[in-house]
Amino acid sequence: MAPMKGLTVFIADLRKCRSHEEEERRVNKELANIRTKFKEAGLTSYNRKKYVCKLVYMSLLGYNVQFGHKEAVDLASSAKYSEKQIGYLAVTLLLPEDSGYMRGVLAALRRDINGSDDVSVCVALAAVSNVATREIAEALTEEILGQLLSPSASTFVKKKAALCLLRLLRRFPDATNAHVWAERVIPYMGHRDAGVTLAVTSLATALAQQYPDAMRKAAAFAVRRLKSLVLDNECPADYVYYTVAAPWLQVKLLRLLQYFPAPESPELRTLLLRILRHIIDVGQDTPRELQQMNAQYSILFEAIGLGIHLDIDQALMHESAALLGRFITSRETNVRYLGLETMAHLAAYIDSLEPLKKFQGVITQALRDRDVSVRRRALDLLYSMCDVDNAKPVVNELLRHMGAADLALREEMALKVAILTEKYATEYAWYIDVMMRLVALAGEHLGDEVWHRIVQVILGNEELQLYACTIALQALRAPVCHESAFKVSSYVLGEFGHLIANAPDSAPIDQLKALQSKMPSVSLPARAVALTTVAKFTNLFPEIKNACLRVLDRHRGALDAELQQRACEYYALATVESDVLLSTVFEEMPPFAERQSALVSRLLKQEGDTEDQRTWVPGGRDINRERRAQQTGETPVEAEADGKDKELAPDDPADPVEEPSIAESRRHYARLLWESDGILYDGDEVQVGLMAQYKPPAGRVGVFLGNKAAGAIYDISIHAFAKDNDSKDAPLSITESAGQSPLPASLLPLGQARIYFDVTCHHVFSTPPTLRISYTQAGAPTVLELQLPITCVHFMAPVTIAVSDFFARWKQLGEAGLGEAQSVLKTPFLEERAGEWLRGVVGGMGFALIQGADPVPDNIVAVGIAT
């Protein structure tokens, strides 16, 4: 583009301005002049281009130049290349995506892309890549694909077309219909021009992440192209970089292969192993020149990453571990970074972590590296290579380093310490000590997920609760108590403070005083947690009820609405004359349902939309095995055995096929057979709870539906029915209880709806009733069908009789020919706890235990009468 004197002078004038007001006066003067010139009929091409360039410059300075949009589109639609070039540049920088002039731009782009002039085609492709609106993606994808696949198009146009498709695919994957044409671009990975191959490989990598099945053939093309580059040294001289053949292409081909499983063909598998072995052997020699070292090591690290991903040669992986151990001690920061990252990748696949533990001291030292990116990769590696054997030293080292860690790294470090402590804790005291120390060191950098998770773990483990109460009281008495530690301590004492009430200096009044001493110094949310604890104390410790009421009364006039509401409601509950209400409201929290830790979920966030997806995540072999199972739809065991021979037992035709939702609630269903309340179903969107009361031959079942989704749910319907429910001879009948409120039309997030059913047992039945729940969330209807844990034994009446009467009655049953049934089952507990568990099950199923009926203490004798 020839220089424009008027544009140069204008830019120089603006740079000479000493104030913003002077610059604004000069810009306004020029804008007025440009408006006048655009209205003239005889404006030359040179002046039109010059004025549009001035508008572009003023737009970059932040001035409104909207009146020039039409001129930019007119230039882009011109047949002259010089005008077209300026026009597309202006369109790219000036027009917003929703501009009304986009239709004119789209027409100009279509005309140029379908033209025969390569230069115009390339300019249009560059403009498409920069503008990249959804409308353009939907309208021009086929034309751009045609340029890539055209046998007459030049190599330069093919490269531009491939990269343009890559841009549109990353921005609007649903608008390009890539699943239709993805397979058609694969042959161009073998194009004679290395530049076209490089561009198409980048496109194929993005396609493989979204459509792996359609792109499966790309693996064979990638292996053969690698063979020509690595083993045969076939590479154009223009693409040889410091004696390394096309390093950028080799890296992209190796990266592409990481999105596919190991080749099924023995020939391709052997060839790929030869390529990897050759790259690793060459990479062990240290290049003299920095540029050659960067190129060679970039290929080496990708080759090691591919070998780790394929997991087809453990010897190669152990050799890679030794080689990486040399790289993490390199003086070059880039080499140390890549060595630590690749070793973390290795930890996600290798069978034994022992080869990596040899370098634990070096990795720990890397936490003090001058470069923050190296420190972050060292943290990822320690997190990935941690197991039961080295968990304590790794966690202690991270805690010791946390005080000096960067603020940007401290939150991630704290999350990983919390996850490792929970995952590998073998001593309850160690878990509590580490977590309380963690919230004290990094409390201000932790989200609420950490202290929430601590509470969940304590609630789910009875062995932790006594020691947790002791440590919680000590934390409240310490001179400094961090807010997160205060919340944990308050919650734990409110739930389990009675466990230490008889210990020295741990009386109920001592717990209340310790709590009160820290309340003035904490935030309002923490004070709200403390008020709940005080309210629970009124139920746990009646002897200090008056002291607790005084605390609640003081907060009934609080300025904060949340504190005031809590204090008023708790005070009203505590002063109601009822022996049951307070104990019912503040009943001990049940254990939380098993699910993936919220801390782990925060570490598994996906990469940005325009980046290549990672084939692994930091965290070791187990979490990556589960991740692969989720992606492939297999179980973790199947994912572990992928690529190996697996024997599948034939399906038993006698086994009934369960609905997925029923199978998912099986573990909750089994527990509710002998417990009266609990969770029946826990999904991503809703949670279903159950509460049952039986007075044979009738019962009442309450169903509670909670909304866990981010948005409201609508069209809620809950029905329960038994087999042949409408028949007069039905063994079991279920009807909605009378006099209850109807279900709400919608349920907001965290809201709950409930409905009660009356159940009557007429005679013995074998099929449990079904609960059907339907709702609509985000426009998608969902239907759940769950089995209700209602069986014949729920309508048994426990009867306590003398031992002599029991054996007399047993003899009568035998003489009547009723016989007996036997079954052998496996308990979920150790042998010493099996008897206790079985007694609880039998008692919960409507039988009365008869003590002393059997001389063997472990044998259980129970009696129940079916009404």
Side-chain angles (χ1 to χ4, degrees), residues 142-382:
E142 285 296 329
E143 281 85 349
I144 299 171
L145 179 65
Q147 289 291 347
L148 174 61
L149 304 181
S150 173
S152 60
S154 65
T155 56
F156 193 66
V157 170
K158 289 182 181 295
K159 287 189 288 185
K160 286 275 189 180
L163 295 177
C164 186
L165 286 173
L166 175 61
R167 167 66 172 162
L168 295 178
L169 178 66
R170 285 175 170 174
R171 186 109 194 263
F172 304 106
D174 57 326
T176 57
N177 293 324
H179 62 281
V180 177
W181 50 264
E183 195 172 356
R184 297 169 62 189
V185 306
I186 296 176
Y188 287 84
M189 292 177 58
H191 197 274
R192 64 183 183 279
D193 185 84
V196 174
T197 302
L198 184 62
V200 174
T201 302
S202 299
L203 175 61
T205 302
L207 289 169
Q209 296 169 46
Q210 299 184 31
Y211 312 103
D213 293 334
M215 297 297 294
R216 191 172 296 275
K217 294 181 181 178
F221 279 86
V223 173
R224 294 191 180 95
R225 194 62 190 249
L226 278 172
K227 174 182 177 296
S228 66
L229 291 172
V230 177
L231 301 180
D232 301 336
N233 290 321
E234 295 178 359
C235 179
D238 292 343
Y239 287 88
V240 176
Y241 180 79
Y242 284 88
T243 71
V244 181
W248 304 278
L249 180 56
Q250 288 192 50
V251 167
K252 286 187 178 292
L253 291 171
L254 292 168
R255 175 67 59 84
L256 171 63
L257 288 170
Q258 294 182 38
Y259 294 102
F260 301 105
E264 296 179 358
S265 167
E267 178 188 354
L268 279 180
R269 186 186 292 243
T270 304
L271 180 58
L272 185 55
L273 277 175
R274 281 181 56 204
I275 293 170
L276 295 178
R277 175 68 64 183
H278 183 274
I279 293 174
I280 291 176
D281 290 343
V282 172
Q284 297 191 25
D285 300 330
T286 304
R288 294 183 179 181
E289 297 191 27
L290 179 62
Q291 292 86 347
Q292 183 183 359
M293 182 183 70
N294 289 337
Q296 192 166 302
Y297 281 175
S298 63
I299 299 171
L300 174 63
F301 284 117
E302 284 297 337
I304 294 175
L306 176 58
I308 295 168
H309 169 74
L310 297 177
D311 196 11
I312 54 179
D313 190 344
Q314 284 293 320
L316 185 66
M317 296 177 71
H318 285 269
E319 183 179 341
S320 300
L323 186 60
L324 292 172
R326 193 184 79 191
F327 290 139
I328 63 176
T329 59
S330 172
R331 297 177 60 182
E332 288 291 332
T333 302
N334 290 339
V335 176
R336 288 200 308 276
Y337 173 91
L338 292 172
L340 291 168
E341 183 180 43
T342 310
M343 192 173 280
H345 187 185
L346 180 61
Y349 285 83
I350 196 168
D351 287 338
S352 173
L353 293 172
E354 294 305 320
L356 306 185
K357 290 181 182 178
K358 300 176 183 178
F359 309 105
Q360 186 168 319
V362 178
I363 300 166
T364 302
Q365 191 65 30
L367 288 173
R368 300 174 176 82
D369 196 276
R370 292 173 297 176
D371 193 293
V372 65
S373 60
V374 174
R375 295 197 294 270
R376 193 179 296 276
R377 295 289 78 80
L379 174 61
D380 286 343
L381 178 52
L382 282 175

Side-chain angles (χ1 to χ4, degrees), residues 794-827:
H794 289 100
F795 302 96
M796 300 278 289
V799 178
T800 304
I801 60 177
V803 175
S804 57
D805 294 337
F806 170 79
F807 285 108
R809 182 60 179 153
W810 183 265
K811 186 177 180 181
Q812 292 176 3
L813 293 174
E815 292 174 352
L818 298 178
E820 64 180 46
Q822 296 184 6
S823 179
V824 179
L825 55 89
K826 186 185 227 178
T827 71

Side-chain angles (χ1 to χ4, degrees), residues 41 47 52 422 437 539 645 668 742 765 795:
N47 286 330
V52 169
E422 177 186 341
R437 183 182 171 192
N539 177 54
D645 292 333
H668 302 300
F765 61 93
F795 302 96

Side-chain angles (χ1 to χ4, degrees), residues 473 477 497 500-513 537 541 543-544:
L473 189 55
R477 286 173 172 166
I500 61 170
N502 297 324
D505 299 326
S506 302
I509 191 64
D510 296 327
Q511 297 182 34
L512 180 61
K513 288 180 178 178
F537 280 173
F541 310 120
E543 62 271 26
I544 62 168

